[in-house]
Amino acid sequence: MSATEDGSPGRVPLDSNRFLERDAEVHPSSEEMVAGRYSATVATDIAAVEALRPLWRLWTDSLDTDLDFFLHQLSHDSSALAPYVITVYNEGIARAMLVGQVKKRRASTVVSFVNIPGPTMRVLEIKKGGRIGQQSQTIDRMLATELFKSTQSGEVDSICFERLPLDCELFQQIQQMPGFFVKERVPHVFCYSVLSLSDSGSKDPHVFSGKTMREMRRKTRNAERAFPGQVSLKCFSQPGELDAGLCEAMRVAATTWQHSLGQGFNDTAQTRATYLFFAEHGWLRIYVLYVKDVPCAFLAGQLYNNNFYCQYAGYHPDYTGFSVGSLLTARVFEELAAAGVQRVDLGEGGQEHNRRLGCQMVEEGTVHVYSPTLRGVWLNLFFGTTQIIRTGGRRARATLKLNRLGMVWRQYLVGRRQIHHRSAYVSSERKSL
């Protein structure tokens, strides 16, 4: 599938049969290669994506866009229909790519800690860092044009960028796309924390500032005073350690409020398949902090290309007074720095704890683009309405000083569901024995 910068035809709309035919082209024909002109192709099957491997491996440097991980997700995610990789060429030379997957799933959003289900949709998901290759306004215009065509043709009901910097050129080009119903929506703007371990090459790397180090030493002394010689840290990273690592992490996760609300870490078949893939490639890291041989905090993530990506974390509420979460992250980050890791991506959250660690805060948005079809309009109304309710509720709480009410509501939901979740997990553990 292809198109030139002047918008000449050449695309074949995606449909369910096309996903199975495996006949997409990834290289533009000679007629398209007019000197000084750009063209774009879209790869929509595994063979077409594999043909891009030499270019892909040159450009990607993050876990989210690793080609092997991308292909693993396609084969193990039941909601994935097909890859959708746009490649932009200039005079026959590939310049950049936009990496995504078409999925069929039910739309959902969260309002006041309650999950609100929406209609079923075919969504083109663009991964974090999915825009790889040369930076250019013309290239981003071509990418935005291809995305616009996918919504106009009905190939997808919506496009979702998981994490897109709102100051990037691609977002600016998306904002300029014509049409009222196709206009972008940013339902969420999140603050992401990144910690630099740039001093990790030294013999004794200093991960934290002096003030933070003093605070960590104080918390360590308190824990050691309460549990002398009984605080330990273990890392699970090998395929043979996967079952034990997931079990220990789940023992902690099952006690958290996030798990009570159906969020956070969960030991599912898809999680196991993904973590086994990470372990086989040497990327898996599951850290568990123990007190008296009882797991009380965990951190699960991936070590990739000298970067550590924090995915899930949690601590047992019975050990809140001993700051076990802070102790765990401090020990883990010091170990990573000593091993030569340069950067830690802590993911979403601008908590005060992350600020004290000296993290850099980066704002990125979840960006939606909807097709001008009936289902696209319905999705636009669904996310737009819930966004208005969510924003209005926050403003009302802030104006009326009812923030305490939000905490009470969360505690009520947690209390109502926690007993059910714990009993269900204990029951499943007994069956597995």
Side-chain angles (χ1 to χ4, degrees):
M1 292 188 292
S2 61
T4 55
E5 188 181 6
D6 60 8
S8 58
R11 294 175 58 86
V12 178
L14 285 171
D15 55 43
S16 299
N17 293 329
R18 181 173 175 78
F19 291 152
L20 301 176
E21 289 172 357
R22 305 292 191 252
D23 63 351
E25 296 291 338
V26 297
H27 295 294
S29 63
S30 58
E31 289 81 8
E32 294 171 318
M33 292 295 95
V34 181
R37 298 176 65 189
Y38 286 79
S39 65
T41 63
V42 184
T44 58
D45 65 41
I46 302 300
V49 171
E50 283 286 1
L52 295 169
R53 181 178 288 271
L55 292 171
W56 195 315
R57 297 186 67 177
L58 284 175
W59 287 336
T60 187
D61 61 355
S62 69
L63 174 63
D64 298 273
T65 54
D66 178 85
L67 178 55
D68 291 324
F69 181 41
F70 178 83
L71 295 174
H72 170 85
Q73 290 178 306
L74 281 172
S75 60
H76 288 79
D77 186 348
S78 59
S79 67
L81 298 178
Y84 201 95
V85 181
I86 305 171
T87 306
V88 176
Y89 296 84
N90 177 235
E91 298 185 349
I93 301 175
R95 300 297 185 182
M97 286 193 293
L98 187 64
V99 178
Q101 298 178 11
V102 178
K103 296 185 177 181
K104 185 176 182 179
R105 59 179 175 81
R106 179 174 291 278
S108 65
T109 189
V110 176
V111 177
S112 297
F113 304 105
V114 177
N115 187 65
I116 309 297
T120 301
M121 62 178 179
R122 283 160 52 105
V123 56
L124 170 54
E125 291 188 355
I126 308 298
K127 297 296 182 181
K128 169 199 168 187
R131 169 39 171 109
I132 58 178
Q134 178 181 323
Q135 299 297 319
S136 163
Q137 183 181 51
T138 303
I139 290 175
D140 286 314
R141 187 186 309 119
M142 287 290 295
L143 294 173
T145 299
E146 288 298 310
L147 293 175
F148 175 72
K149 290 178 181 178
S150 70
T151 60
Q152 289 292 104
S153 65
E155 293 174 317
V156 296
D157 302 313
S158 69
I159 301 170
C160 175
F161 288 84
E162 292 182 356
R163 286 176 56 176
L164 183 67
L166 301 184
D167 59 351
C168 71
E169 182 61 35
L170 180 57
F171 181 64
Q172 307 304 318
Q173 295 297 328
I174 291 173
Q175 288 183 305
Q176 297 176 25
M177 289 195 302
F180 176 75
F181 292 114
V182 189
K183 296 301 289 183
E184 83 292 338
R185 181 181 297 281
V186 186
H188 303 285
V189 176
F190 297 110
C191 187
Y192 294 90
S193 302
V194 177
L195 178 64
S196 174
L197 306 180
S198 56
D199 294 334
S200 57
S202 62
K203 183 178 179 180
D204 184 22
H206 299 285
V207 180
F208 310 115
S209 66
K211 182 179 180 180
T212 303
M213 284 298 300
R214 289 192 294 272
E215 181 69 11
M216 292 300 175
R217 292 192 189 102
R218 182 186 65 80
K219 292 178 178 180
T220 300
R221 286 195 300 270
N222 290 341
E224 289 292 346
R225 194 178 298 118
F227 309 101
Q230 297 176 310
V231 180
S232 60
L233 176 68
K234 185 172 182 179
C235 177
F236 302 86
S237 61
Q238 301 301 314
E241 301 172 329
L242 180 61
D243 288 342
L246 289 175
C247 180
E248 297 292 76
M250 197 62 211
R251 289 175 64 185
V252 179
T255 68
T256 64
W257 67 266
Q258 293 93 338
H259 186 265
S260 299
L261 296 179
Q263 303 170 10
F265 181 79
N266 213 340
D267 186 3
T268 64
Q270 185 172 333
T271 299
R272 283 182 170 269
T274 301
Y275 275 36
L276 177 59
F277 173 84
F278 290 150
E280 290 173 344
H281 285 73
W283 303 339
L284 178 66
R285 299 293 186 275
I286 301 177
Y287 295 95
V288 180
L289 187 73
Y290 293 88
V291 172
K292 296 193 295 187
D293 296 325
V294 176
C296 59
F298 82 98
L299 173 61
Q302 297 81 43
L303 179 58
Y304 180 90
N305 196 23
N306 283 330
N307 288 270
F308 182 72
Y309 297 87
C310 299
Q311 190 174 18
Y312 296 106
Y315 62 88
H316 198 297
D318 291 349
Y319 296 90
T320 303
F322 300 101
S323 304
V324 289
S326 298
L327 293 179
L328 172 64
T329 54
R331 289 194 182 186
V332 169
F333 293 170
E334 287 177 347
E335 285 192 8
L336 292 172
V341 176
Q342 299 174 358
R343 181 175 171 271
V344 176
D345 185 338
L346 286 88
E348 178 193 344
Q351 298 92 337
E352 182 60 30
H353 170 67
N354 291 354
R355 297 181 187 276
R356 289 199 301 269
L357 291 178
C359 295
Q360 175 188 0
M361 303 299 170
V362 180
E363 280 195 350
E364 296 176 335
T366 298
V367 178
H368 290 180
V369 180
Y370 307 99
S371 71
T373 62
L374 182 61
R375 188 174 296 274
V377 173
W378 169 217
L379 288 167
N380 197 349
L381 290 173
F382 170 73
F383 284 106
T385 301
T386 54
Q387 182 180 1
I388 292 172
I389 295 173
R390 185 166 49 245
T391 303
R394 289 171 181 168
R395 289 178 179 174
R397 288 201 309 269
T399 302
L400 301 176
K401 299 181 179 180
L402 298 176
N403 290 327
R404 175 65 180 172
L405 182 62
M407 296 177 60
V408 172
W409 172 248
R410 189 185 77 179
Q411 291 171 356
Y412 165 74
L413 293 176
V414 170
R416 191 180 69 172
R417 301 181 188 181
Q418 204 160 39
I419 295 177
H420 169 73
H421 281 288
R422 284 183 176 177
S423 61
Y425 181 70
V426 170
S427 176
S428 64
E429 271 196 327
R430 289 175 178 174
K431 290 181 181 179
S432 64
L433 294 177

